Amino acid sequence: MTNADRTGRMKTISKLAMGIIRRCGERCNIVRAGDRYRISEVRYNEFRLTLSRPTDDKDRTSTLDVRFCGKLVLHVEWTPEAVTRTSYRPGSWEAMLLRYDRTLALAGSAARTD
């Protein structure tokens, strides 16, 4: 896999995970190591998707973590200006997350017909 392919896959998976988090993530504020964070998280079957943002950070750094079966498979850290850190382990989890994005449980309230 070339660096361009790897970057493209990371962008695609990140957008997919962010969409799921925005639609149905549980949101809370926590204090960790003296800093306040806004956390949005989705736990669904084998996955845990977490978006965290420090509330008092003037750089406005955000972090996305995707865990599959408890293991970190995608980590992206960015500011509004640039991506600052990444970690990515390709695998079958990507296709599974794509399928989960289409399930009614993760489609958000707009897709539900209760």
Side-chain angles (χ1 to χ4, degrees), residues 44 99-109 111-114:
Y44 188 75
R99 271 186 276 139
Y100 283 171
D101 183 48
R102 297 178 183 140
T103 64
L104 186 58
L106 297 175
S109 60
R112 294 188 184 135
T113 57
D114 301 341

Side-chain angles (χ1 to χ4, degrees), residues 10 25-27 33 35 54 63 70 101 103 112:
M10 285 178 18
E26 298 284 326
R27 293 168 181 84
D35 295 323
T63 304
D101 183 48
T103 64
R112 294 188 184 135

Side-chain angles (χ1 to χ4, degrees), residues 26-86:
E26 298 284 326
R27 293 168 181 84
C28 66
N29 291 312
I30 64 168
V31 176
R32 185 183 328 156
D35 295 323
R36 292 184 47 154
Y37 289 85
R38 177 171 296 155
I39 305 287
S40 296
E41 186 171 77
V42 173
R43 291 177 186 230
Y44 188 75
N45 293 341
E46 307 90 345
F47 283 98
R48 187 173 85 194
L49 314 173
T50 307
L51 173 65
S52 64
R53 295 182 173 145
T55 57
D56 300 329
D57 182 12
K58 54 186 158 191
D59 292 335
R60 299 185 326 195
T61 304
S62 298
T63 304
L64 171 67
D65 286 326
V66 176
R67 293 184 181 273
F68 179 70
C69 294
K71 295 182 180 161
L72 187 64
V73 292
L74 178 69
H75 173 84
V76 181
E77 198 171 289
W78 71 95
T79 65
E81 291 79 33
V83 173
T84 57
R85 183 183 301 168
T86 61

